[in-house]
Amino acid sequence: MPIMPPAAPQQHARPAGRFDDAAWQQWPFALWRQGFELAQQGWDAWAGALPLTDAHQRQLAAFAARLWLEPLAPDNNPYTNPLVWRQTLSEGGVNLLRGAYNAWEDGVRQWSGQPPVGAEHFRPGHEVATTPGKVVLRNALAELIQYRPTTGRVRPQPIFIVPAWIMKYYVLDLSPHNSLIRYLVDQGYTVFCVSWKNPTPADRDQGLDDYLRLGVREPLAAIEAIVPGAAVHAVGYCLGGTLLTMAASAMARDGDRRLASLSLLAAQTDFSEPGQLGLFIDAYQVALIETEMAALGYFPARQMSGAFQLLRAQQLLWAPMISEYLLGQRRPMNDLQAWNADSTRMPARMHGQYLRHLYLDNDLASGRYLVDGRPVRLQDLRLPIFCVGTETDHVAPWRSVYKLHGLAPAPLTFVLTSGGHNAGIVSEPGHPRRHFRSRLRAAGEPALTPDAWLAGAALHEGSWWPHWLAWLDARSGKPVSPPGLGAARKGYPALDDAPGIYVTEK
């Protein structure tokens, strides 16, 4: 029978889909669910009332309390989860046998360093990262891929994409139907993209200056040789956007006019409020990370993925375990999940630098970050900027991304799209249940608060990709004949076929 909720409880924010099944409204499951939600609220209130002067320590206490409470949640316990009861009764326990096999298979794969079940069906260059092109530059840290045109004529301004180095680039070139790179090529643009090397202990001394030089400046020189005289639409995703903003600010400082526009996708430039990831970043924790990296020469990929799993423990740890090990229902792997499992390492020197200079000291937003020995200022940016935040981003929260409004006086179009850090960007036309909001802040116009922006921004159904394409088209010239792949006479011959060799490094 249904059970009534207690008088007007304050609802704790829950992951989408949790406790949605009708069985959670029946006795005794509803009682257990309500008790757990009230306990969550109580622990949050306790953590908020701790006599700590440091807000970071209060946030850590609240986070630790939530992690401690999760194993006690009724949906994470087979004896108090009605879905497990129902499945076990209906199958006579066969689901538990399947679940035991799933757990054994996952354990063997993890112990032997194999990818998760199903990831082998999404191989770069075969099922994913299949947009045709050529590697036209390879250096110690990056490959530059130029994609083959699919239209008879192309816009004269090429697009240059700098992805994050914490994961492999092909999140922007997944399956053909949801590849942002293929979409841009099919719309008549010459597209270049960086593919980062997976660092080894030999790369331990590569720093942020090296990433800037080898991942932005050398590729820009190659693009200039291949498409001479053309200004470039620069696009950066996640930390690739942060790096690109450093480069664009230095170019603005030095009078370099090679960029036509700057597009930043889920990229932070002000790290004063970095979101939940900041829980793992303080002076003490950074010192521990640096000590470990000094021995290894790099930051292990497993630690980054582990941090992300802890931030969303119910969705990424507990819910899959209940589904696969107790219900016996193996979740089908998709291209985005397979990419997410294809993680990369980071050189010790670079990782320490970006943790200290960006997260701890916020040097870029404060005008203290040095490029070529001189500080760069975001206030020098005057070129048109298109900035995308995602509604449920736990890596680069949209309100943190939005802070660029108060730092750069440039004309800035800000888009807030549904989805999270990855799925909100991989949001192809035709994807169901997508929407976005958009608003232009003219050059020199005062910045609105995030809440005021949200109240006044126009709401649109569907993907933000066509909206961005129209923005690019308005800042591009009339189509011309496409350039060749590479420029051998200028030192940039076409090398390997896309996706290159760096993306396959383990």
Side-chain angles (χ1 to χ4, degrees):
M1 64 179 181
I3 185 168
M4 297 300 293
Q10 179 186 355
Q11 291 296 318
H12 183 88
R14 68 169 70 144
R18 191 175 199 183
F19 302 128
D20 281 356
D21 193 280
W24 287 110
Q25 307 306 318
Q26 305 297 318
W27 186 91
F29 307 108
L31 182 64
W32 296 335
R33 171 183 59 81
Q34 290 172 1
F36 171 69
E37 291 179 333
L38 288 173
Q40 282 185 317
Q41 296 165 22
W43 278 106
D44 281 350
W46 167 82
L50 286 174
L52 298 171
T53 57
D54 188 345
H56 177 73
Q57 296 300 322
R58 287 197 300 274
Q59 292 167 353
L60 273 177
F63 176 69
R66 288 195 297 271
L67 281 183
W68 177 85
L69 200 59
E70 274 299 327
L72 306 178
D75 56 334
N76 295 333
N77 188 319
Y79 301 106
T80 55
N81 187 324
L83 282 69
V84 176
W85 283 31
R86 185 170 63 202
Q87 192 76 16
T88 303
L89 289 173
S90 67
E91 291 196 50
V94 174
N95 56 301
L96 298 178
L97 293 177
R98 288 198 310 272
Y101 175 79
N102 290 341
W104 174 83
E105 186 178 30
D106 288 349
V108 169
R109 281 176 171 261
Q110 187 172 20
W111 177 80
S112 61
Q114 297 180 66
V117 174
E120 63 271 14
H121 301 308
F122 298 95
R123 299 165 299 167
H126 296 273
E127 294 80 22
V128 293
T130 60
T131 304
K134 288 284 188 180
V135 174
V136 295
L137 170 70
R138 179 181 295 122
N139 57 39
L141 274 179
E143 291 176 329
L144 180 66
I145 302 171
Q146 180 186 358
Y147 292 92
R148 191 181 304 277
T150 59
T151 56
R153 297 176 73 78
V154 299
R155 298 283 183 165
Q157 290 82 12
I159 292 175
F160 170 46
I161 301 175
V162 181
W165 57 78
I166 61 174
M167 297 293 289
K168 294 186 178 178
Y169 86 93
Y170 66 92
V171 65
L172 304 176
D173 187 25
L174 284 172
S175 304
H177 73 279
N178 61 0
S179 166
L180 178 58
I181 287 173
R182 184 180 292 263
Y183 175 79
L184 293 170
V185 172
D186 287 347
Q187 301 303 316
Y189 279 91
T190 299
V191 179
F192 296 83
C193 184
V194 166
S195 173
W196 297 105
K197 176 181 172 61
N198 196 0
T200 67
D203 301 304
R204 64 187 308 130
D205 293 325
Q206 301 280 17
L208 275 174
D209 287 346
D210 298 298
Y211 273 71
L212 189 63
R213 175 174 56 88
L214 299 174
V216 179
R217 289 177 165 177
E218 285 194 7
L220 273 176
I223 295 171
E224 188 176 20
I226 296 167
V227 193
V232 175
H233 293 302
V235 183
Y237 173 51
C238 186
L239 282 173
T242 308
L243 187 73
L244 192 57
T245 304
M246 296 174 184
S249 300
M251 293 169 73
R253 177 198 66 192
D254 299 338
D256 188 332
R257 307 294 182 187
R258 286 180 292 169
L259 300 186
S261 70
L262 179 64
S263 295
L264 303 175
L265 315 181
Q268 296 178 98
T269 51
D270 185 323
F271 290 80
S272 57
E273 296 176 328
Q276 289 184 310
L277 198 58
L279 289 168
F280 303 106
I281 303 172
D282 57 30
Y284 175 72
Q285 293 180 81
V286 170
L288 287 178
I289 291 171
E290 288 175 332
T291 300
E292 179 182 8
M293 292 191 301
L296 293 175
Y298 57 82
F299 185 68
R302 66 180 183 274
Q303 287 191 226
M304 183 65 73
S305 60
F308 290 151
Q309 287 180 325
L310 286 177
L311 291 176
R312 302 172 64 198
Q314 198 280 328
Q315 295 160 288
L316 299 181
L317 290 176
W318 289 103
M321 284 194 295
I322 295 298
S323 175
E324 300 194 0
Y325 303 159
L326 294 178
L327 299 180
Q329 299 171 350
R330 178 71 84 181
R331 297 183 176 188
M333 179 70 68
N334 62 37
D335 52 6
L336 189 59
Q337 291 170 329
W339 164 83
N340 196 53
D342 191 10
S343 54
T344 61
R345 299 172 290 273
M346 285 175 277
R349 183 168 176 238
M350 182 278 297
H351 192 57
Q353 286 177 336
Y354 98 73
L355 288 178
R356 289 193 176 278
H357 288 301
L358 299 181
Y359 278 95
L360 288 186
D361 298 336
N362 203 22
D363 284 345
L364 181 60
S366 302
R368 296 190 301 266
Y369 191 81
L370 302 181
V371 175
D372 299 328
R374 293 180 293 148
V376 294
R377 304 186 321 138
L378 301 183
Q379 293 89 335
D380 292 334
L381 294 174
R382 295 291 189 273
L383 75 175
I385 298 176
F386 191 96
C387 190
V388 181
T390 64
E391 290 178 348
T392 57
D393 199 327
H394 63 289
V395 177
W398 79 265
R399 292 171 186 271
S400 180
V401 173
Y402 183 86
K403 288 177 178 289
L404 183 62
H405 281 82
L407 299 172
L412 197 161
T413 298
F414 190 80
V415 166
L416 178 61
T417 182
S418 56
H421 186 71
N422 300 320
I425 300 304
V426 183
S427 181
E428 71 280 3
H431 195 295
R433 299 180 300 278
R434 291 296 188 186
H435 62 263
F436 67 94
R437 299 176 187 273
S438 176
R439 186 165 181 171
L440 167 67
R441 194 280 308 272
E445 190 174 291
L448 299 172
T449 65
D451 289 337
W453 181 93
L454 189 63
L459 177 64
H460 309 273
E461 296 299 324
S463 167
W464 61 271
W465 290 10
H467 186 66
W468 181 41
L469 180 69
W471 185 88
L472 290 170
D473 287 348
R475 290 156 181 82
S476 302
K478 294 181 179 180
V480 297
S481 297
L485 292 177
R489 293 185 178 181
K490 298 180 181 179
Y492 300 101
L495 304 171
D496 302 291
D497 289 334
I501 62 174
Y502 281 172
V503 75
T504 62
E505 292 181 331
K506 300 299 183 183

